[in-house]
Amino acid sequence: MKVDISDRLFHFRFAAGTSRGVYHTHRSWFVTLTDDSGHSGVGECAPLPDLSCDALPDYDDILRRFARQIETSGEVPYSQLINYPSMLFGLETALWQLGKGFSALDDTPFAKGEEGIPINGLIWMGNYDEMSRRLEEKLQQGFHCIKLKIGAIDFDEELSLIRRIRERYGQETVELRVDANGAFAPGEALQKMELLARYDIHSIEQPIRQHQWREMAHLCANTPLPIALDEELIGVNMPATKESLLDTIRPQYIILKPSLHGGMSGAEEWIEMARKRGIGSWVTSALESNVGLNAIAHFTATMYGPRITMPQGLGTGQLFTDNISMPIAIKGEEMWRLRDA
């Protein structure tokens, strides 16, 4: 097995704001596995600075060390990669493509170009006018599920924007999700969620910062609207700890990003554990290029299909000015795999 590694810097079409800061560029590493027959597969390793548990200063060195180990043994050291989810995701993707021989990674209706995957329209943080404009664009594009990132501007302004949406569109017409990215303080979170709940919000992602299990469990038990865990799952990679988190916090939903939450194998483990506990879930991308997004879409179709009805978070492929071309496209409010010519 031969392993080649390259990296590439992608540039955002706009300043992508979160409660942790603003992204202008994003670097990914691409791993190409080639077997003795000359067949190859490519995967993307895309850690997020200040968020991924493996976004380390020596990321490149660690990835290349694993690459040399794979070249020597011919096997991917899954047990050693458990704490390096973005690297594991890239290697899993490369292996999946190596086994299939093409970018269609499975035989689902999505992979055959027969079904689309419903996705939410993502409204990035910005000032009131910017978020209003982006909202109008998503509604005009046909999205019926809108996700608003909140926590960067004045909360009253964010409520005003949400109120404006609900004055025009009822919950039967537009499903609203909000993502706080841990922006609320534990003492104020419940009050803010009560205000949000007046506007028929589907769910709120990560209202308070992670690693506050007792406080989060209290919120989940008393919340006026469903809570979805996201950042809370980062770095929780051992099965026993995953079970402990779910049993302690008892969230209404969990959200899986393979690059952050243990690769595809780790995300699948989270999904199955949640199902056993009656906890809902959906999958989102994490600012990967179209290479990683393609793999995540196939993973989503495999885990939830056919005929997926829950909107997924796969709308990040249009963020970069210099993205990599892949046979996937957003049509209306769905992601589709393009049929091969």
Side-chain angles (χ1 to χ4, degrees):
M1 181 89 67
K2 181 181 179 183
V3 185
D4 290 315
I5 297 174
S6 62
D7 67 296
R8 179 168 171 174
L9 188 67
F10 295 96
H11 299 81
F12 283 85
R13 294 183 183 277
F14 56 87
T18 74
S19 60
R20 285 181 168 80
V22 179
Y23 289 113
H24 297 279
T25 60
H26 184 52
R27 185 174 300 279
S28 289
W29 281 257
F30 293 91
V31 180
T32 302
L33 303 183
T34 306
D35 63 19
D36 295 337
S37 301
H39 301 118
S40 62
V42 180
E44 179 178 5
C45 306
L48 286 173
D50 302 321
L51 188 58
S52 298
C53 64
D54 58 352
L56 305 169
D58 54 348
Y59 187 93
D60 188 88
D61 293 336
I62 295 172
L63 181 58
R64 292 182 185 278
R65 187 167 67 244
F66 281 124
R68 290 192 295 269
Q69 188 173 340
I70 293 168
E71 285 184 324
T72 301
S73 67
E75 298 179 354
V76 174
Y78 282 92
S79 61
Q80 297 177 42
L81 282 160
I82 192 170
N83 292 319
Y84 302 92
S86 66
M87 298 184 197
L88 177 55
F89 170 67
L91 289 165
E92 285 177 319
T93 301
L95 279 173
W96 199 3
Q97 188 180 59
L98 182 63
K100 284 293 182 179
F102 196 58
S103 59
L105 303 179
D106 213 333
D107 298 319
T108 62
F110 169 77
K112 297 174 183 177
E114 298 171 352
E115 287 184 3
I117 299 174
I119 63 175
N120 60 245
L122 176 59
I123 310 300
W124 286 88
M125 287 179 178
N127 60 41
Y128 182 90
D129 291 337
E130 288 171 338
M131 294 180 72
S132 295
R133 175 177 53 79
R134 292 167 186 166
L135 169 65
E136 291 299 331
E137 290 173 354
K138 293 299 180 184
L139 292 174
Q140 289 175 13
Q141 290 167 9
F143 284 94
H144 292 89
C145 178
I146 300 293
K147 172 180 167 179
L148 290 164
K149 283 187 171 291
I150 62 174
I153 63 176
D154 181 76
F155 183 67
D156 288 337
E157 287 192 31
E158 291 169 338
L159 275 182
S160 177
L161 179 61
I162 292 170
R163 185 185 309 114
R164 174 182 166 186
I165 299 171
R166 276 293 174 247
E167 287 173 350
R168 294 175 57 191
Y169 305 100
Q171 66 181 112
E172 299 82 8
T173 305
V174 174
E175 178 181 286
L176 283 177
R177 301 174 179 177
V178 296
D179 182 1
N181 286 126
F184 299 164
E188 67 181 14
L190 195 58
Q191 179 184 12
K192 287 188 172 182
M193 289 193 295
E194 287 172 350
L195 293 172
L196 288 167
R198 297 176 182 177
Y199 302 104
D200 300 311
I201 303 297
H202 171 272
S203 57
I204 180 170
E205 295 181 31
Q206 202 68 42
I208 63 174
R209 286 191 177 273
Q210 64 266 46
H211 309 314
Q212 303 178 86
W213 286 19
R214 183 175 65 180
E215 291 84 353
M216 188 67 86
H218 174 75
L219 289 178
C220 289
N222 296 280
T223 184
L225 70 162
I227 291 175
L229 301 186
D230 183 355
E231 289 93 338
E232 195 72 63
L233 312 181
I234 296 173
V236 181
N237 299 316
M238 300 304 294
T241 313
K242 291 180 179 181
E243 291 180 336
S244 179
L245 183 151
L246 294 175
D247 290 336
T248 299
I249 298 178
R250 300 299 301 180
Q252 285 74 34
Y253 296 102
I254 59 173
I255 302 170
L256 287 312
K257 295 180 172 71
S259 288
L260 296 178
H261 301 137
M264 288 182 280
S265 54
E268 180 177 357
E269 188 173 64
W270 274 115
I271 291 168
E272 294 300 339
M273 287 182 177
R275 282 174 175 168
K276 291 178 180 178
R277 292 163 171 79
I279 297 170
S281 66
W282 66 87
V283 173
T284 77
S285 50
L287 305 185
E288 299 87 356
S289 76
N290 281 338
V291 173
L293 184 58
N294 176 68
I296 295 170
H298 283 281
F299 170 76
T300 302
T302 301
M303 291 302 302
Y304 298 112
R307 295 178 294 280
I308 298 173
T309 57
M310 170 80 79
Q312 309 291 308
L314 307 180
T316 57
Q318 299 172 320
L319 291 176
F320 303 120
T321 61
D322 45 4
N323 211 330
I324 295 172
S325 178
M326 292 291 288
I328 51 175
I330 295 175
K331 300 179 181 181
E333 59 178 348
E334 294 183 331
M335 170 170 284
W336 283 79
R337 172 171 168 79
L338 304 178
R339 290 178 179 271
D340 301 321

